[in-house]
């Protein structure tokens, strides 16, 4: 891909993004938690449950980019303060979305990783701002975007001086309606060929179906991902956002028990 300079595969050795004690690009890293922060009890109970199941980082949105302006938009600053408490309670680093360039510098004070959602992948003002924020960035693939467009967005962040970009395949729009999106698993080995940046998969937003999250998580590990980001809620029925796709802590724990053996098995295969 001719436009890529800093993101190109040969520009540097494989990037390992260090988030506290977690090494994204080396270990299999699992980020889990609710779609959005809804209350202190909801966030902390869910955080404790995912930590107990072996998650490495906590996800939770305080700013939600919703399709409808009338849907719950997130708790904002109050949500970030709750995430800070959840981090204290569990020790898990926080992954949280930022949707407005004006908010980046202060959201970065709460976030260990700044998430750029699919709808904002090509928000160049936002990309430049997170490029200067001094925090690792989780860059989700735009739901209508090619790999080249996605990697050029990573290039925006790198070119502002931030080397810590984690790519996240979260499904693309196709004609299929049974799943919420279509998980493009071929993106994982393709991205490995094209860039040194780590790549994770979001089996939650890509499928939108509880029964598919476990199988696609295993398939992602087989495809060579560096990690997964999975939505979990202490009580999915009460979730204010994406209730139909949130795993219970028990379901999440069952998937976790399969992931590391799968990764260990992959490591035994001849190369
Ligand atoms: C999310 O992870 O909370 C989210 C909104 O995902 P996406 O941007 O992939 O839709
Ligand atoms: Mn969600």
């Amino acid at each position: 891909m001719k436009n890529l300079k800093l993101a190109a595969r040969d520009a540097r050795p494989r990037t390992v993004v260090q988030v506290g004690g977690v090494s994204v690009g080396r270990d299999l890293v699992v980020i889990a938690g609710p779609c959005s922060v809804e209350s202190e009890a909801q966030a902390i109970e869910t955080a404790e449950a995912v930590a107990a199941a072996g998650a490495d980082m906590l996800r939770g949105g305080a700013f939600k980019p919703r399709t409808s302006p009338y849907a719950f938009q997130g708790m904002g600053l109050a949500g970030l303060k709750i995430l800070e408490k959840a981090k204290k309670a569990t020790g898990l680093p926080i992954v949280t979305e930022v949707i407005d360039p004006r908010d980046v510098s202060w959201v970065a004070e709460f976030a260990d990783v700044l998430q750029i959602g699919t709808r904002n992948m090509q928000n160049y003002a936002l990309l430049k701002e997170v490029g200067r924020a001094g925090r690792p960035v989780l860059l989700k693939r735009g739901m209508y975007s090619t790999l080249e467009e996605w990697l050029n967005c990573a290039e925006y962040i790198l070119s502002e001086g931030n080397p810590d970009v984690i790519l996240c395949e979260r499904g693309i729009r196709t004609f299929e309606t049974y799943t919420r999106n279509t998980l493009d698993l071929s993106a994982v080995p393709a991205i490995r060929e094209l860039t040194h940046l780590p790549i994770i998969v979001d089996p939650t937003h890509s499928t939108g179906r509880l029964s598919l999250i476990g199988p696609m998580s295993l398939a992602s590990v087989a495809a060579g991902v560096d990690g997964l980001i999975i939505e979990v809620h202490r009580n999915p029925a009460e979730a204010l956002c994406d209730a139909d796709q949130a795993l219970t802590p028990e379901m999440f724990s069952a998937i976790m028990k399969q992931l590391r053996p799968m990764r260990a098995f992959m490591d035994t295969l001849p190369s």
Side-chain angles (χ1 to χ4, degrees):
M1 287 181 179
K2 53 185 179 319
N3 288 333
L4 297 181
K5 293 190 173 123
L6 302 169
R9 176 67 192 90
D10 295 335
R12 48 160 299 168
R14 289 223 173 272
T15 291
V16 176
V17 176
Q18 206 61 46
V19 186
V22 182
S23 304
V24 187
R26 182 172 306 133
D27 311 324
L28 180 68
V29 169
V30 181
I31 305 165
C35 183
S36 61
V37 178
E38 297 163 2
S39 70
E40 188 167 324
Q42 171 255 9
I44 292 181
E45 268 181 43
T46 306
E48 284 173 342
V50 300
D56 304 289
M57 293 196 238
L58 176 67
R59 63 149 290 143
F63 294 95
K64 298 305 301 177
R66 303 303 299 280
T67 301
S68 163
Y70 310 118
F72 174 59
Q73 303 283 309
M75 292 179 73
L77 175 60
L80 294 171
K81 288 184 173 163
I82 290 172
L83 287 172
E84 195 170 43
K85 287 188 185 166
K87 178 178 174 179
K88 263 204 191 103
T90 59
L92 297 182
I94 301 299
V95 181
T96 197
E97 183 163 353
V98 62
I99 61 177
D100 188 321
R102 295 168 294 187
D103 295 335
V104 169
S105 58
W106 67 268
V107 173
E109 290 173 27
F110 295 89
D112 295 287
V113 177
L114 290 164
Q115 178 175 325
I116 303 293
T118 191
R119 296 162 185 79
N120 273 313
M121 186 200 83
Q122 284 180 313
N123 181 337
Y124 299 117
L126 186 59
L127 296 178
K128 286 185 187 174
E129 210 57 54
V130 297
R132 299 183 205 116
R135 284 276 182 275
V137 177
L138 181 69
L139 179 64
K140 289 192 142 192
R141 179 182 183 178
M143 63 180 94
Y144 305 104
S145 301
T146 64
L147 299 183
E148 184 162 12
E149 287 162 344
W150 187 17
L151 288 173
N152 271 286
C153 291
E155 188 79 28
Y156 262 89
I157 300 169
L158 299 176
S159 66
E160 291 296 327
N162 188 343
D164 292 325
V165 176
I166 305 161
L167 299 166
C168 176
E169 162 62 40
R170 52 78 69 204
I172 50 176
R173 279 259 170 111
T174 67
F175 52 82
E176 183 55 72
T177 55
Y178 184 71
T179 49
R180 182 174 173 176
N181 291 279
T182 297
L183 176 56
D184 177 11
L185 214 41
S186 68
V188 174
I191 283 289
R192 288 234 174 281
E193 292 174 0
L194 293 168
T195 182
H196 51 82
L197 296 171
I199 174 158
I200 70 170
V201 161
D202 176 343
T204 303
H205 292 89
S206 53
T207 66
R209 284 192 173 259
L210 289 179
S211 60
L212 305 187
I213 294 172
M216 296 322 288
S217 297
L218 286 173
S220 300
V221 176
V225 275
D226 296 299
L228 293 156
I229 180 166
I230 301 177
E231 285 187 356
V232 181
H233 195 290
R234 66 165 177 175
N235 178 10
E238 73 177 24
L240 295 177
C241 181
D242 288 350
D244 297 343
Q245 63 183 31
L247 297 174
T248 62
E250 294 71 30
M251 291 164 151
F252 174 66
S253 180
I255 292 172
M256 284 298 283
K257 289 195 175 84
Q258 299 180 327
L259 293 181
R260 301 206 200 271
M262 182 66 170
R263 169 68 171 242
F265 170 71
M266 293 305 297
D267 289 342
T268 67
L269 294 180
S271 51

